[in-house]
Amino acid sequence: MVDVARYFLSFTCDQSCGKCTFCRVGIRRMLDILDKICSGKATMEDIGKLEELAIHVKKASMCGLRKTAPNPVLTTLKYFRHEYEEHVKGVCKTGTCKDMIQYTVTDECVGCTKCAKACPVEAIPYTPYEVHTIETEKCVLCGLCIDECSFNAISKKLVKEIVIPNEPVCEKAGI
């Protein structure tokens, strides 16, 4: 939901006429904070700043369109605050925030090289009949390798693991 809020806010930011400062600067600043949250570099204080700024933009903007621009942020904060908090901790469960995921090749790989051919940045070395690897520093996370793989051998992995508090390890492992 964090990425959904960012998507709608980026649209309204592009549509700003610039007449009122709260709209012109406020929405841009909100988008900057959302980008920071989606990159995993934010703090809990940034969530509070985002919410406060959204309320002020909504109250002070001159036109009806801009008064509704902060609504996706305010609504997702109200109903999905835990997702914002997870992002601050560096976890994006949906795998949509590129700074918080990486692609890995599983043992299902047969070395067909389809993924290597599809990769626009050559992050997957062309090694026929061998299990492929992905050079994460080169990978731009475009997803073309996943789309091309016929063996479901490429998966998205969270960079940080999700820790569920107060749950015994045995139950998590299904034991």
Side-chain angles (χ1 to χ4, degrees):
M1 295 311 286
V2 178
D3 198 51
V4 170
R6 183 171 66 163
Y7 170 79
F8 282 109
L9 201 61
S10 69
F11 171 78
T12 57
C13 186
D14 290 341
Q15 300 302 314
S16 177
C17 70
K19 188 174 181 180
C20 59
T21 305
F22 264 101
C23 175
R24 183 180 68 249
V25 177
I27 292 176
R28 178 71 239 171
R29 182 66 185 120
M30 287 172 57
L31 189 56
D32 291 343
I33 294 170
L34 276 173
D35 287 340
K36 189 175 175 184
I37 290 170
C38 288
S39 70
K41 297 175 183 160
T43 63
M44 289 296 184
E45 291 81 32
D46 288 322
I47 295 173
K49 288 178 192 175
L50 178 65
E51 188 169 28
E52 183 180 352
L53 189 55
I55 291 167
H56 288 303
V57 168
K58 187 172 180 143
K59 287 181 181 177
S61 292
M62 292 185 200
C63 71
L65 179 62
R66 298 301 162 225
K67 287 184 183 296
T68 61
N71 285 351
V73 172
L74 291 170
T75 303
T76 54
L77 278 169
K78 182 177 180 180
Y79 295 106
F80 301 98
R81 182 176 286 271
H82 64 280
E83 288 190 25
Y84 284 85
E85 292 168 355
E86 288 171 355
H87 277 69
V88 168
K89 294 174 185 171
V91 176
C92 177
K93 286 185 190 177
T94 61
T96 54
C97 298
K98 290 185 177 185
D99 291 333
M100 297 185 202
I101 61 165
Q102 65 185 24
Y103 291 167
T104 58
V105 179
T106 67
D107 293 335
E108 304 295 319
C109 179
V110 296
C112 69
T113 69
K114 283 184 174 181
C115 58
K117 291 175 187 174
C119 183
V121 294
E122 298 178 353
I124 304 172
Y126 185 82
T127 52
Y129 309 110
E130 294 179 21
V131 175
H132 296 306
T133 58
I134 298 175
E135 296 176 27
T136 54
E137 57 279 346
K138 282 187 181 179
C139 183
V140 293
L141 303 167
C142 64
L144 291 175
C145 56
I146 292 175
D147 295 341
E148 197 63 36
C149 183
S150 304
F151 301 94
N152 295 322
I154 300 175
S155 64
K156 282 185 188 179
K157 298 283 184 194
L158 297 175
V159 173
K160 288 188 179 179
E161 292 297 318
I162 301 170
V163 178
I164 303 170
N166 301 329
E167 187 174 354
V169 176
C170 293
E171 287 181 25
K172 274 177 62 175
I175 299 173

